Amino acid sequence: SSLLSHLLEPPQPHPPAASLATSPVVEAPPPSLLNGMVTTSAQLTAIDNLPILRVSLFLDHLDVISITTVCKRWLDTLKAERKGYVNLNLEGKRKAGELIEKFAGGEDAAEVRHISLRFCGELEETKLGALAKFKNLRGVNLDYCQKIRESGIEILASAAPSLEHLSLFWMPWLTGKAIKPLHSLKSLRTLNLSGLTHLNDHQIGNLIKMCGVKLKSLDVTRIKTVGERALRAVGETCKELQTLRMYACESFSDVALSHVAKGCRYLQVLDVCGAKTLTDKGIESIAKGCPRLQVLNCTWCVNLTDKALESLSRCKFLCNLSVHGLKHLTDRGLASLASGCHEIVVLDLNGCCNIKNRQLEALQKMFPRLNHLVML
């Protein structure tokens, strides 16, 4: 690899000592028996290489390059198998732009699938043009890259038109005009817009309509303007959606949420923490329309009552539920939930002051699989 040209070849073995010159020649052993199977020396070598190949799957690009310096066999093995060159992690690197250009010019660029540039505060927008040389690039993380503005998003969309995963977490300076180039990304499967507080309901809705057909995960945390238009677009466009995070999106209505319920039948994870206007009707629509729901965060959805828990009893796969701070819930609602939800593993009842049943043993009888309970 041109990127590894600085590596030194391992030292040549020392010649045998004179005292060993007359030692009898030991012939190579015959094929070995391993677990009852005849195994050749080549197969044994392959087996010896398995640990490093497995380890490399959990390492990013820079770490894989580092471990190739250990010995020539590891270098040859990783180059031959092309393992470990999937994730290029440049998080927080001061010279991330220069590193992108360097890797883009290497022979391993085609192996890279995901590039993380999180918290690269010095990353210049123009450097994103080098992403075009990563022909199989599928994921980019630009979380809190402070110098990336409208032109940078345009360069990104042009350089990586086949992106499937994009994270723009906590870049509140990005406006609706800035994200418009993302309309061209038709292959997106995960999109994180968390903290883009300058976006409005209309702009989010238009974006979802244009690039949301294949979305499986959408995060619009803390975008308080999310409402009717955005959630209608989600329901009408994102038919494969599995995860929807709307933490601190406080103004959407039951009607807006009903669009998600009608269109996203594969939804498994829903976070509506802090939805001030959400009522039992909204939860009822989700319970009816999303039978695969597994994780639900209703923390501080203060209008919810026992009727919401009664509706959720039809969600047979629900295993993680937070109703933190819901003062209208009572033991009756909890019993209704337990009658249908037998898979509950995590339950947060903290702040539910009208639930009087606080005996751990009693709750474990109601929810046999419960192993994490929060209740103060």
Side-chain angles (χ1 to χ4, degrees), residues 28-44:
S32 307
L33 285 174
L34 183 65
N35 294 331
M37 298 177 64
V38 176
T39 309
T40 65
S41 58
Q43 289 172 322
L44 285 172

Side-chain angles (χ1 to χ4, degrees), residues 268-316:
Q268 297 177 16
V269 178
L270 177 62
D271 187 346
V272 290
C273 173
K276 294 181 180 179
T277 59
L278 183 65
T279 73
D280 297 332
K281 291 183 178 180
I283 296 300
E284 181 180 5
S285 67
I286 289 294
K288 288 181 178 179
C290 305
R292 293 172 172 81
L293 191 67
Q294 297 180 23
V295 179
L296 178 60
N297 183 5
C298 293
T299 298
W300 295 118
C301 296
V302 293
N303 294 318
L304 298 185
T305 72
D306 286 342
K307 289 183 179 180
L309 297 186
E310 291 171 11
S311 299
L312 289 173
S313 65
R314 70 173 67 207
C315 297
K316 306 301 182 183

Side-chain angles (χ1 to χ4, degrees), residues 159-277:
S162 299
L163 276 185
E164 296 178 3
H165 311 281
L166 176 61
S167 184
L168 301 173
F169 168 78
W170 206 246
M171 300 175 73
W173 51 86
L174 294 182
T175 64
K177 185 179 179 180
I179 66 166
K180 196 169 183 179
L182 300 181
H183 289 193
S184 64
L185 302 181
K186 306 299 185 182
S187 299
L188 281 179
R189 295 181 182 276
T190 64
L191 178 60
N192 186 351
L193 302 175
S194 175
L196 272 65
T197 54
H198 283 89
L199 302 186
N200 62 42
D201 188 40
H202 181 87
Q203 293 161 343
I204 297 171
N206 286 343
L207 177 63
I208 298 303
K209 286 182 179 180
M210 295 301 297
C211 67
V213 173
K214 295 184 178 180
L215 273 183
K216 291 190 175 182
S217 177
L218 175 63
D219 192 335
V220 289
T221 290
R222 296 189 185 282
I223 305 179
K224 296 184 178 182
T225 58
V226 168
E228 173 76 16
R229 189 176 185 92
L231 295 186
R232 180 186 290 275
V234 170
E236 293 178 350
T237 308
C238 307
K239 301 300 183 181
E240 299 180 12
L241 195 68
Q242 297 178 5
T243 298
L244 178 58
R245 300 190 184 279
M246 298 191 291
Y247 179 97
C249 298
E250 57 188 33
S251 60
F252 64 87
S253 66
D254 293 331
V255 173
L257 189 61
S258 70
H259 297 305
V260 175
K262 292 175 183 176
C264 304
R265 62 176 288 101
Y266 298 107
L267 193 68
Q268 297 177 16
V269 178
L270 177 62
D271 187 346
V272 290
C273 173
K276 294 181 180 179
T277 59

Side-chain angles (χ1 to χ4, degrees), residues 336-351:
S336 296
L337 179 72
S339 68
C341 297
H342 306 299
E343 302 298 319
I344 295 287
V345 175
V346 179
L347 183 61
D348 187 346
L349 300 175
N350 193 21

